Amino acid sequence: MTNWQDRATALYNGGFRPMFIGGQWCEARSGAVIEARNPADGSLLATVPKGEAADIDAAVVAARAAFEGPWSKFTPFERQALLLRIADKFEEEWETLCLSDTLDMGMPIQRTLANSRRVLGMLRFYAGQAVAIHGETIPNSFPGEIYSQTVREPVGVVGAIIPWNAPIAGSIWKIAPALATGCTVILKPSEEASLTVLLIAKIMQEAGLPDGVLNIVTGHGADAGAALAAHPGVDKIVFTGSTATGQAIARAATGNLKRVSLELGGKSPVIVCRDADIDKAVPVAAMAVFANSGQICIAGSRLFVAREIHDEFLRRVADYAANLRIGHGVEEGTDIGPIISARQAERIAGYLAAGPQEGAEVLTGGARAEGAGLDGGHFFQPTVFGGVTDEMTIAREEIFGPVISALPFDTIDEVVERANATPYGLAAGVFSTHLGTAHKLAHRLKAGSVWVNMYHAIDPAVPFGGVKMSGYGREGGTEHMEEYLDTKAIWINAD
């Protein structure tokens, strides 16, 4: 059995980890640093540079030089070969990457390890897409012997900003399609979880990534992130995070009308019909929220249950939640790890207080988790609220914590209307053994992804993204490549 704690001590011991600009490892121009602390116990893992606008300027210069220089000469075959080498290096270093994620943001190690198929699959999927980019020859009706065709060209320098909740997958979802299309990247990770992203840059450099193609600037969103979003030398911004921040990024991007794609928040409904297979639905519906301690944009936090089975289903979900093991992410068998920070913990505590104040009933949980081994960390009991109404704060706002709000329903038409009565539209889940019911709900729900008798399924070949206030643009599938490409029309007079 792997001794993750011993490996953790060897991986991070409080030292300084520089950021990555133009192929060089460097400090921030100001010399300032940010502490990276383990959310499970508050211990210092490392310090990273506190990048600001000057560092973003340097990264843009490096990314532009690479885009217009050596990287522009890489053929599709060469870009594919590079991505495949990176995938092989990721596979070799997978346990170290997962341990870094677990230490930096708290996700249980068994969950990070299980994500290998998705991450390695993304790298190899986009490697395949690198050699599948093509234009068209288009017949036109212009007088004379005129030929028209299109070519697809990389959009240019891409600024990517990711949150703390899944650094490995979040980074690759931004970097890999950019490399496949021939773009260059400046990635700004969350100040709450930067260490794994720096490790990713090291691995990619070792795999032969040319200088300046990928640049990592660590720092706060209000400084480095805002500077990246507004920078006139950036051609595209891709962002995953809160809706409020996404709106600010979209406004900042208007300075040079850079292209923007946003994957934002959600308040996703999970609908359990009266004919659902309860034995299968209970654990899936529970972990639709409790996975990663609820720190998931697609968390199915509004649980609509048919009135005929409502009481039994809630009892069983509450029992399931009460038996989940809370602890450090490096401890094997942990189901619920820590919340990322004290600030986020205070936010969740506010929602746990608001539920009963507005009339909801705590069926299980409802408080911080305390006890042996949890000192210094930010832990919460997985919580199930019953007696919830659509108007309650816990049913309307994204909590980003291990909290389920359960609501009964009577008819399909009613639950569709209620499920869609939200500004968000990222994901939804349906549980039914009746094919017609499943189809009807899946087509009527306003969400970018709908899972039937399952949840959390994400594949590199399948597009993912939101509607309404959950953002626009898609990640995954061939649609993702379009986000990084421009179409140029070429006309040739052969007369």
Side-chain angles (χ1 to χ4, degrees):
M1 181 178 295
T2 302
N3 189 327
W4 294 108
Q5 192 60 60
D6 288 348
R7 291 183 62 177
T9 302
L11 183 60
Y12 295 122
N13 56 11
F16 175 71
R17 298 298 173 108
M19 60 187 177
F20 188 63
I21 297 177
Q24 303 299 312
W25 297 94
C26 56
E27 300 178 353
R29 268 41 177 187
S30 68
V33 298
I34 299 171
E35 291 184 342
R37 292 191 174 273
N38 188 334
D41 58 18
S43 62
L44 180 66
L45 296 170
T47 59
V48 299
K50 184 177 180 290
E52 296 177 341
D55 304 288
I56 293 294
D57 288 341
V60 172
V61 169
R64 180 64 61 187
F67 178 70
E68 295 178 354
W71 183 238
S72 67
K73 306 298 192 297
F74 271 55
T75 66
F77 173 86
E78 289 169 330
R79 295 198 302 271
Q80 180 189 56
L82 173 62
L83 281 164
L84 291 174
R85 289 198 304 273
I86 291 171
D88 290 343
K89 289 288 291 184
F90 261 60
E91 194 162 16
E92 293 171 12
E93 300 290 343
W94 185 246
E95 287 191 354
T96 300
L97 284 163
C98 291
L99 179 58
S100 179
D101 250 15
T102 293
L103 294 171
D104 207 13
M105 52 73 61
M107 185 186 295
I109 188 69
Q110 296 307 314
R111 180 174 175 82
T112 53
L113 288 169
N115 220 14
S116 63
R117 184 183 182 92
R118 178 187 171 196
V119 173
L120 298 177
M122 281 195 290
L123 285 165
R124 289 169 177 145
F125 172 80
Y126 293 112
Q129 292 297 305
V131 294
I133 299 169
H134 57 80
E136 297 177 300
T137 299
I138 305 171
N140 66 77
S141 300
F142 202 85
E145 192 172 355
I146 308 294
Y147 296 95
S148 50
Q149 66 186 67
T150 62
V151 293
R152 311 307 307 282
E153 297 179 339
V155 68
V157 175
V158 174
I161 304 173
I162 63 170
W164 75 77
N165 60 330
I168 301 175
S171 297
I172 298 307
W173 232 0
K174 305 295 187 281
I175 297 169
L179 300 190
T181 53
C183 295
T184 56
V185 182
I186 303 152
L187 178 62
K188 208 295 284 184
S190 168
E191 60 269 26
E192 306 281 8
S194 300
L195 296 178
T196 301
V197 181
L198 295 171
L199 183 56
I200 284 171
K202 179 176 180 292
I203 291 171
M204 289 189 173
Q205 185 181 44
E206 291 172 352
L209 187 74
D211 293 349
V213 174
L214 172 64
N215 307 272
I216 309 295
V217 179
T218 54
H220 291 286
D223 299 320
L228 183 59
H231 203 289
V234 173
D235 302 300
K236 174 183 172 60
I237 285 286
V238 55
F239 170 76
T240 297
S242 73
T243 295
T245 303
Q247 290 173 309
I249 286 172
R251 289 191 293 268
T254 60
N256 68 334
L257 295 180
K258 59 173 63 69
R259 289 170 60 176
V260 178
S261 53
L262 305 170
E263 193 259 280
L264 306 177
K267 192 66 178 177
S268 301
V270 171
I271 300 171
V272 183
C273 301
R274 65 172 179 266
D275 62 351
D277 184 326
I278 295 179
D279 290 339
K280 292 181 179 179
V282 164
V284 178
M287 295 310 291
V289 179
F290 299 142
N292 203 20
S293 302
Q295 300 171 117
I296 314 173
C297 56
I298 54 177
S301 54
R302 289 187 296 152
L303 180 60
F304 292 95
V305 185
R307 197 173 299 276
E308 295 91 333
I309 62 170
H310 176 270
D311 292 350
E312 177 190 357
F313 196 86
L314 260 62
R315 176 184 58 79
R316 292 179 62 172
V317 168
D319 288 345
Y320 184 93
N323 285 291
L324 292 172
R325 180 179 173 183
I326 304 169
H328 286 227
V330 293
E331 296 175 358
E332 295 194 35
T334 292
D335 300 306
I336 303 289
I339 299 300
I340 186 65
S341 66
R343 181 180 61 178
Q344 180 64 10
E346 286 300 318
R347 185 172 182 272
I348 294 168
Y351 284 110
L352 294 181
Q357 288 170 3
E358 296 181 12
E361 177 188 0
V362 177
L363 302 181
T364 190
R368 294 177 185 263
E370 299 175 345
L374 303 182
D375 293 342
H378 313 296
F379 295 93
F380 280 87
Q381 300 167 353
T383 298
V384 180
F385 280 115
V388 180
T389 62
D390 297 327
E391 297 76 25
M392 291 181 181
T393 304
I394 57 173
R396 291 185 292 106
E397 298 183 9
E398 185 178 32
I399 298 173
F400 228 62
V403 183
I404 290 175
S405 297
L407 310 98
F409 74 90
D410 293 299
T411 69
I412 295 298
D413 288 342
E414 169 211 338
V415 76
V416 167
E417 181 178 356
R418 291 168 64 195
N420 288 338
T422 173
Y424 300 109
L426 189 57
V430 174
F431 289 89
S432 173
T433 57
H434 189 278
L435 184 61
T437 300
H439 270 289
K440 185 183 296 184
L441 282 167
H443 286 282
R444 293 177 65 186
L445 290 169
K446 301 300 183 184
S449 296
V450 180
W451 294 289
V452 178
N453 297 324
M454 62 188 305
Y455 209 81
H456 288 313
I458 296 178
D459 186 89
V462 180
F464 174 86
V467 297
K468 300 192 287 186
M469 296 295 282
S470 289
Y472 47 80
R474 290 295 179 267
E475 295 184 299
T478 55
E479 287 91 338
H480 199 178
M481 302 296 287
E482 301 297 321
E483 301 285 344
Y484 294 86
L485 291 167
D486 281 329
T487 300
K488 177 187 286 183
I490 298 176
W491 295 77
I492 300 175
N493 186 346
D495 285 340

